[in-house]
Amino acid sequence: MILKKGLFLFSVLFFFFVRATYAQDAGKVLPLKTILAQIEEQHSVKFSYLNSDISPFKIISPQKSLLIGEKLSYIRTQTGLSFKQSGKYIS
């Protein structure tokens, strides 16, 4: 009986641990600077900005599966900022 309770408890804890691992950043509000750094890494681009322009913004990170243009549109919608892309450089 004790073995069954222990196994059940382990199963429940494991289930929640796995869920938490897969949903790491889902729904988290992050500084825009952090999000831009993630996008730079994911899409091999480089952002140019003034810290004072982006520091007031904290938003939910866009889905990783979105294309770069879709992510920029999402950020534009959330912040009102506009972007210009020239090759790998975005300002």
Side-chain angles (χ1 to χ4, degrees):
M1 185 70 166
I2 293 175
L3 182 61
K4 286 183 182 181
K5 285 183 180 180
L7 183 58
F8 175 75
L9 180 60
F10 173 78
S11 298
V12 170
L13 291 174
F14 182 75
F15 172 75
F16 285 111
F17 173 75
V18 169
R19 282 187 53 135
T21 301
Y22 282 111
Q24 266 181 337
D25 291 330
K28 271 189 170 177
V29 175
L30 298 172
L32 183 55
K33 185 174 184 172
T34 301
I35 293 170
L36 296 180
Q38 291 172 348
I39 293 172
E40 285 180 335
E41 187 176 313
Q42 293 165 0
H43 295 279
S44 299
V45 296
K46 184 69 178 158
F47 284 94
S48 176
Y49 52 81
L50 295 174
N51 281 328
S52 60
D53 288 343
I54 66 165
S55 61
F57 298 104
K58 293 183 180 182
I59 62 172
I60 296 173
S61 186
Q63 296 177 359
K64 287 184 178 183
S65 61
L66 295 177
L67 300 173
I68 184 74
E70 295 170 320
K71 290 179 182 178
L72 294 177
S73 292
Y74 170 79
I75 294 170
R76 186 178 307 115
T77 301
Q78 298 297 310
T79 64
L81 297 174
S82 59
F83 298 94
K84 292 180 184 175
Q85 186 170 359
S86 178
K88 292 186 174 194
Y89 297 96
I90 303 170
S91 58

